[in-house]
Amino acid sequence: MENKVEVSPLADLDPNLRPIEKVMVIISKGTLESVYAGFILANGARMEGIESEIFFTFFGLEAVNKKTKDKIHVATVGNPAMHMPTCIGSIPGMEALATGMMKSKMEKLDIPPVGEFLEILSASGCRLWACKLAMEMFGFKKDDLIPEVEGILTVGDFYARAAGEATQIIFI
């Protein structure tokens, strides 16, 4: 039997590289898989001591809208990762079924629901922002958003907050 040596995935990194200091996540889609991807990346950054901020734009605003945050669902139509033809994904009830199954799996992994996850992110120091243009386009007001959203930013404001060579911008 051959002895295998475990190699750290970080072993090949240049020790002279500057560590990431800030992660700026842009969430533009209002699907469960997109929203949670952004939340998990931002939360992971905070757990590693890295600053994190989330900028919600376009349909991503659904995650911070008081009326819709708990109604985020899995995209079944046109989602190649669902491994089913689009016509099957469009059958009434399929989206609800897929969403229920995904939420059940996430609950077993102790992944909190959207509203609770947003509270956790905010409490951890992750800053939450809404996009001014998207807010105007959809006719939303600040009062439509959960209280954890600190403010409404223009794209220019967002880029100003992202300034610095140790900042990473992640678009979802």
Side-chain angles (χ1 to χ4, degrees):
M1 188 156 179
E2 184 178 320
N3 287 337
K4 289 191 175 187
V5 177
E6 291 270 337
V7 177
S8 166
L10 303 177
D12 61 345
L13 293 180
D14 182 343
N16 298 315
L17 291 177
R18 184 170 174 191
I20 295 170
E21 294 175 9
K22 183 188 277 188
V23 172
M24 305 287 287
V25 180
I26 302 167
I27 298 179
S28 67
K29 297 176 185 83
T31 62
L32 199 65
E33 61 273 21
S34 296
V35 167
Y36 273 97
F39 289 3
I40 290 166
L41 289 168
N43 188 58
R46 291 303 305 133
M47 291 174 72
E48 295 296 323
I50 299 168
E51 285 182 63
S52 70
E53 301 189 19
I54 304 176
F55 184 69
F56 296 89
T57 189
F58 290 93
F59 299 112
L61 285 171
E62 295 290 298
V64 290
N65 183 312
K66 291 175 189 172
K67 293 179 182 173
T68 58
K69 69 176 173 50
D70 295 318
K71 299 176 184 171
I72 304 291
H73 51 81
V74 172
T76 56
V77 176
N79 184 346
M82 292 300 292
H83 305 289
M84 70 171 106
T86 296
C87 62
I88 301 229
S90 65
I91 293 173
M94 283 303 288
E95 191 173 272
L97 177 67
T99 299
M101 288 173 59
M102 181 70 79
K103 285 183 176 181
S104 173
K105 288 182 179 201
M106 290 172 22
E107 190 175 315
K108 287 177 185 171
L109 293 171
D110 203 25
I111 299 171
V114 171
E116 185 181 340
F117 210 150
L118 286 162
E119 290 172 6
I120 290 167
L121 285 163
S122 180
S124 77
C126 178
R127 303 190 70 187
L128 308 176
W129 308 101
C131 173
K132 184 176 189 305
L133 177 64
M135 292 283 291
E136 290 173 357
M137 187 168 34
F138 295 121
F140 294 153
K141 305 285 182 235
K142 175 82 165 93
D143 289 343
D144 295 324
L145 306 178
I146 61 169
E148 290 82 9
V149 174
E150 291 187 48
I152 300 167
L153 303 179
T154 66
V155 172
D157 296 333
F158 171 77
Y159 285 134
R161 296 195 60 74
E165 65 183 51
T167 299
Q168 297 288 314
I169 297 176
I170 303 168
F171 183 82
I172 299 174

